[in-house]
Amino acid sequence: MRFSAFLICWLAITMNISATPQPDSAQLNDLSLVKRQAIYGPTFQPPGIAPSAMQQTYDIRLQGNDSNCDFIALRNGIQNIGGAGDAAYATARTMISQSPRDYYEGFYTLKGPNGSDQRFSIDNLGAAAAAFIGVYQALGYNALLLMAEPDQRDYSFAQSIVDQLLKNPHASFAHAWITPREYRRNARNIVVPETNETVTMLYPYHEVAVFVDPNTPQQVIILDGLVGYPFALTLDTFADWLRGFNSVIVVSAEAGSIVDHQRYQFATRTAPYVANRLGGPYLNAARKAFGRDYLQWGEVLGQPFRWHDQQLTKVVLPGTYVHYERVEAGPITLALLGTRMGYDLEAAGILPTGTIRPWEKTVLVNGIREWVIASFGSEQHFLAVFGNVLTQEIWLSQATMQQYVLRNIPNQRVDQNGIDGYIIVLTERAMIAWNAQQGTFLIPLGQIYDHELQRMLRP
């Protein structure tokens, strides 16, 4: 990946060209590179796969003296499932979060500090796969994040990846994070300013595109810009190479409408090894919004998916309390779920028309204001995240809350016996509720609208 700096060198390839398909010598990487040696060792010379033994031929973009294995893997994967790989490469480079706090790699190639100086964001550290899943969604593909416990060889995980790819072998691939050699788990340690977390990164590792051939399901086909031709791994070796991260993204070409895409993303939530994670710009946004509590208020529920909003296509990452949204390479914003709930309640006749007045300045008061300050540090911080206050305090009965707000989704607090109702306040992105027995809490609007979409998607 571009945020791993590798010591790199080519060895001359001495394999028998008649027995092993090789690219033309003019296509081979610069002989001064040391990255291949850092990743694979000084004697790694994988036998290529004869064209007669493959169901398709592969177009592989080579990797030079840089740390762009992430974008090279993306390009080579998309190019070989019928997409425009080079265009996707260029677009993806604009979408990975970078900010002034990014820094340059500490390990440089033999070409000096300008040989491998691509910046990366510390928000991607330890969440590399989660950083890229939203990119694949934005590029127009179905994408699933699969994860297993790192630092262990998990054959079942490798088999699960193959099983996913075999469902659509000519239109899907896996973007895999691999560790062919021994690695140091805590090679890099960085403190994240917003949360004071210490984030670690292992070294060395690499990224490749992985394909399967239905005729040889007991192996995978690796496309690597450092090698330049496809080669095969047994599932045992594949599992061993995955062990450092045990994280992949399974990418497939979308066939059908935006609704078909959304149904796929929801249906696969319960597939083996599917993981829901904050990553990349979404992780960055959550940390900036919620600070140390980002895993509580910014928790995510599922995989990202595309959503058409008039002429725009958003990538939405649903959470319990918020939905993260991104249009193309733009900033991450939080959906106006409070505004949406307010207008829903007006449409249902629960609130009088005109109750939601975003143009008026309304303030938080009483116990709700005290809870906001205690939970978020200040009223200003809360409002900066969840938006302006839309309503005065409003009384809703428990039955109304259950039926019209939660839409009969079970909720441990709201479903308690002996509750008459709640005083609620809506902001642009939140609903705050209070009663004398339970105190103040946030209604999980993200979960509510996530379930609402699932209901709408049912055939």
Side-chain angles (χ1 to χ4, degrees):
M1 214 149 152
R2 85 185 142 144
F3 51 85
S4 37
F6 302 104
L7 301 176
I8 306 174
C9 186
W10 262 112
L11 295 179
I13 295 177
T14 58
M15 306 167 73
N16 188 322
I17 293 179
S18 64
T20 303
Q22 300 281 354
D24 294 336
S25 59
Q27 293 179 299
L28 294 177
N29 287 330
D30 188 332
L31 293 180
S32 67
L33 296 180
V34 296
K35 182 164 190 176
R36 179 183 169 115
Q37 181 175 351
I39 300 303
Y40 293 116
T43 61
F44 181 74
Q45 297 177 6
I49 306 171
S52 60
M54 294 188 292
Q55 286 198 348
Q56 71 178 88
T57 57
Y58 295 98
D59 180 323
I60 300 176
R61 177 168 171 168
L62 298 178
Q63 182 175 344
N65 190 38
D66 56 49
S67 51
N68 289 332
C69 56
D70 45 6
F71 300 109
I72 296 290
L74 176 144
R75 182 271 177 199
N76 288 337
I78 287 176
Q79 182 71 21
N80 289 287
I81 60 171
D86 291 321
Y89 174 98
T91 300
R93 286 194 63 98
T94 70
M95 299 190 71
I96 294 297
S97 174
Q98 290 190 350
S99 65
R101 72 185 184 190
D102 296 345
Y103 66 93
Y104 287 78
E105 298 173 353
F107 299 95
Y108 293 110
T109 68
L110 293 182
K111 289 190 173 181
N114 294 322
S116 179
D117 61 357
Q118 292 299 318
R119 297 189 300 168
F120 70 95
S121 169
I122 61 176
D123 297 298
N124 295 330
L125 287 175
F132 265 77
I133 185 170
V135 173
Y136 282 112
Q137 295 284 355
L139 290 171
Y141 295 88
N142 296 328
L144 291 178
L145 173 61
L146 305 183
M147 299 180 74
E149 190 70 25
D151 297 318
Q152 63 183 20
R153 186 172 172 275
D154 190 335
Y155 181 87
S156 296
F157 180 58
Q159 183 64 62
S160 181
I161 297 165
V162 171
D163 292 343
Q164 285 285 348
L165 295 177
L166 285 173
K167 294 177 182 179
N168 195 3
H170 301 299
S172 64
F173 71 97
H175 183 148
W177 281 252
I178 61 171
T179 49
R181 304 179 73 191
E182 292 303 314
Y183 55 86
R184 290 186 294 135
R185 164 55 59 188
N186 298 322
R188 298 174 184 179
N189 297 273
I190 298 170
V191 176
V192 181
E194 292 90 343
T195 61
N196 206 34
E197 296 170 280
T198 297
V199 183
T200 65
M201 192 65 182
L202 66 81
Y203 174 85
Y205 76 100
H206 192 43
E207 294 171 54
V208 295
V210 181
F211 287 77
V212 295
D213 186 330
N215 292 331
T216 54
Q218 73 283 1
Q219 66 181 29
V220 294
I221 298 169
I222 305 295
L223 306 189
D224 183 359
L226 289 179
V227 175
Y229 55 87
F231 62 94
L233 295 180
T234 66
L235 291 192
D236 281 337
T237 301
F238 185 44
D240 185 61
W241 282 22
L242 291 170
R243 73 193 185 284
F245 287 91
N246 276 335
S247 296
V248 305
I249 301 174
V250 174
V251 182
S252 58
E254 181 181 327
S257 66
I258 189 71
V259 172
D260 293 324
H261 159 73
Q262 292 169 352
R263 284 176 176 158
Y264 171 86
Q265 294 299 135
F266 279 101
T268 51
R269 279 187 180 182
T270 57
Y273 296 101
V274 169
N276 305 316
R277 295 288 190 277
L278 283 164
Y282 301 96
L283 176 59
N284 183 27
R287 282 173 166 154
K288 287 181 177 178
F290 304 111
R292 296 182 182 184
D293 295 327
Y294 74 94
L295 290 179
Q296 176 184 353
W297 304 116
E299 174 193 28
V300 295
L301 295 173
Q303 305 281 296
F305 57 86
R306 283 186 302 287
W307 177 276
H308 287 168
D309 184 0
Q310 298 180 12
Q311 301 302 314
L312 302 175
T313 298
K314 299 177 181 178
V315 175
V316 178
L317 181 60
T320 301
Y321 296 100
V322 299
H323 285 186
Y324 303 90
E325 297 182 334
R326 190 184 200 189
V327 178
E328 297 180 349
I332 306 297
T333 59
L334 301 181
L336 300 176
L337 300 183
T339 304
R340 180 177 175 183
M341 179 59 72
Y343 287 133
D344 284 353
L345 294 176
E346 285 189 359
I350 304 302
L351 299 180
T353 301
T355 299
I356 307 304
R357 303 172 71 83
W359 56 87
E360 288 190 356
K361 183 174 177 59
T362 307
V363 297
L364 297 171
V365 297
N366 302 326
I368 286 179
R369 181 175 182 273
E370 293 175 4
W371 176 85
V372 162
I373 294 171
S375 299
F376 291 88
S378 70
E379 182 178 0
Q380 291 73 22
H381 179 206
F382 176 85
L383 297 178
V385 176
F386 289 106
N388 295 327
V389 181
L390 299 177
T391 66
Q392 304 288 339
E393 293 184 337
I394 298 169
W395 171 261
L396 295 181
S397 70
Q398 184 186 42
T400 298
M401 184 73 85
Q402 288 171 325
Q403 181 177 353
Y404 291 97
V405 175
L406 288 165
R407 291 98 193 272
N408 298 313
I409 297 170
N411 183 281
Q412 184 177 4
R413 271 185 142 152
V414 175
D415 295 343
Q416 284 186 26
N417 294 326
I419 302 298
D420 293 328
Y422 304 87
I423 289 175
I424 65 101
V425 171
L426 283 165
T427 75
E428 292 172 301
R429 302 181 185 92
M431 175 185 275
I432 317 168
W434 175 91
N435 64 30
Q437 298 99 315
Q438 298 171 311
T440 306
F441 57 97
L442 283 187
I443 297 296
L445 294 185
Q447 181 188 26
I448 290 165
Y449 284 112
D450 185 65
H451 277 263
E452 188 80 359
L453 180 56
Q454 290 187 63
R455 280 196 285 258
M456 292 170 54
L457 293 173
R458 289 172 187 162

